[in-house]
Amino acid sequence: MHQSPNAIAHDHDESAVAVSRRPSMLTAAALVVLGLVLVWLVITKTLSAYLAHEDPQRALSLDSSEPTALVKLATERLKTSEAEEADATMTRNDVAVGGETYSGQKAGIAGSLSSLAAARLRSQPGADAGGEKSAETEEKAKWSSQLRQEVTQSLQAAMLSAPLNARALQILGQIAQDEGDQERTRRLMTAAAHVSLREAPAIAWLLKDDYDAGRWDEALKLADTLLRTKSAAPAFAGRFLSGMAENSQASPSVKAMLADDPPWRTKALEAMYPHVTDARTPFDLFLALKDTAHPPDREELARYLSLLVAKKFYELAYYAWLQFLPPEDLRTAGLVFNGGFERPATGYPFDWSITQTSGATAGIVARTDQSDGHALSVEFGLGRIKFQNVQQMIMLPSAHYRLKGEVKGQLTGRRGLVWRVRCADTSTVIAETPMIFGVANTWREFSAEFDVPANDCRPQLLRLELDARSASEELISGTIYFDNLSIARFMPKAAALE
């Protein structure tokens, strides 16, 4: 039977369609398989990466090569081993184990100094000449050989997936250090730091290594990096900065870096205090900064002066304070500073310290009877109060003096206010004005003469106090003003006639 041309053409088209469907079905199947593989990869990789920090074991069950999980588990294993060793040491020796990493001898001006120069740090910067090994290289390895080998294998597996894993490089550096291989340790720590400047343990290790070797410029750059990337870095870097500040070769570089006013300067300066061995070291830094574009600010200077006073370095504190007074204040500075209350109180030890307390408000205000004058104002509310909130440290040599001032206002109470001068270290009262209370509608003068003893009375505290002897006498109300407070050497008339 012969088919018509149309029938033959129809059969040919159906065959073509059948042939074309086969590749399409194969392609679809392949795409489905590929999609499932991709979904599985996304689930395993993404989920494992998500779990790597919180549950590294589960992350590895999904992806045995997940680098973050491998590194985290390696870190935990080393920490666990170190903690177990510490516990064993405590049991054997009955002593506390631990302490701040790389901490030096803390005998600086924030410690227990009894003189300007304390004992030098146990490990001097760059002091390798004698061939003595540091405590770190002398101590025995913290981790067993098997543990180091297992952790190293895990970290190497992590680096196959993430070759630029800074944390893995840093931990490998720790293991190399534990094995006593200083050269390999430095190589690995350097690699970790190059991969990430936020790998703080590697930066800290390199900082100490450069410091101990006397590579000052490198150490300073690393200290700057660490201080810019870690908020807790000042406590660690303070030792190295103080050591370099007290080294004649490194000190100019430290001063130059501080003169640029890096964002960490104030905190780092304070962190240096426990480690400096001479209380004049920060003063030397401040003097170097004085005439730069970024001289010491009020907070930096106040902390240093307060620390000197707390450690009884009164003469140095007073001299340092004078060096940073504005020229106009230096020219008018008397035995009482700012006795006319024409400048805002800075809170420095040798300026007015005016603190607030419940029941009283104290401060410097404009005088109503002068166009540009100011006075000290103290306003009391109702209720009991122990008022000793206005004071200034003064430095009077042994001699006879007269304290005087002016007062105006109204106070109501069983007792009033007095200005007293006390020996700062013994609290012995050596001067006291007549009690001030009642009504004074116009300015009136008050005064008191006194002697500063030759011994145990430098410096002194000039303080305004409520002269209450019992709780009932602590009730006071009203507002009082003081101005033109001064102290001057005074020769009594009897002595003058002689």
Side-chain angles (χ1 to χ4, degrees), residues 271-295:
M272 290 169 61
Y273 297 154
H275 305 286
V276 295
T277 63
D278 190 322
R280 293 163 292 194
T281 297
F283 180 45
D284 180 54
L285 294 177
F286 287 158
L287 282 179
L289 298 174
K290 181 179 179 181
D291 296 323
T292 67
H294 304 286

Side-chain angles (χ1 to χ4, degrees), residues 387-438:
F387 186 81
Q388 295 182 336
N389 295 72
V390 178
Q391 69 175 34
Q392 179 179 141
M393 183 168 282
I394 54 180
M395 298 285 284
L396 304 177
S398 176
H400 187 76
Y401 296 91
R402 184 183 183 189
L403 164 66
K404 66 178 183 178
E406 296 178 355
V407 62
K408 176 184 175 180
Q410 178 176 338
L411 287 180
T412 302
R414 297 183 62 182
R415 304 285 288 182
L417 296 173
V418 295
W419 285 95
R420 289 193 173 109
V421 178
R422 298 175 180 268
C423 299
D425 286 338
T426 64
S427 293
T428 303
V429 176
I430 58 174
E432 180 175 301
T433 64
M435 192 182 307
I436 299 166
F437 65 108

Side-chain angles (χ1 to χ4, degrees), residues 60-111:
L60 291 176
S61 67
L62 294 171
D63 180 4
S64 61
S65 64
E66 211 297 314
T68 303
L70 287 168
V71 171
K72 186 172 180 63
L73 283 177
T75 304
E76 291 176 352
R77 289 194 66 187
L78 294 179
K79 284 183 178 179
T80 301
S81 174
E82 190 173 1
E84 290 173 351
E85 181 182 349
D87 289 341
T89 304
M90 291 178 68
T91 303
R92 291 194 303 268
N93 301 331
D94 194 29
V95 295
V97 174
E100 184 182 348
T101 306
Y102 304 133
S103 62
Q105 180 179 344
K106 292 188 176 180
I109 59 173

Side-chain angles (χ1 to χ4, degrees), residues 17-18 29 42 63 157 166 180 233 238 253 281 292 304 331 335 350 375 383 389 399 430 439-440 473-474:
V17 170
V42 169
D63 180 4
S253 297
T281 297
T292 67
Y304 177 54
R331 284 193 297 269
L335 297 180
F350 303 101
N389 295 72
I430 58 174
V439 179
E473 294 179 346
E474 292 173 356

Side-chain angles (χ1 to χ4, degrees), residues 87-146:
D87 289 341
T89 304
M90 291 178 68
T91 303
R92 291 194 303 268
N93 301 331
D94 194 29
V95 295
V97 174
E100 184 182 348
T101 306
Y102 304 133
S103 62
Q105 180 179 344
K106 292 188 176 180
I109 59 173
S112 56
L113 277 185
S114 57
S115 63
L116 284 179
R120 285 283 171 187
L121 289 173
R122 183 176 53 205
S123 63
Q124 290 292 331
D128 301 356
E132 295 184 1
K133 294 183 179 180
S134 66
E136 286 84 5
T137 57
E138 285 181 346
E139 65 181 16
K140 294 180 180 179
K142 294 182 290 187
W143 303 308
S144 68
S145 175
Q146 180 180 353

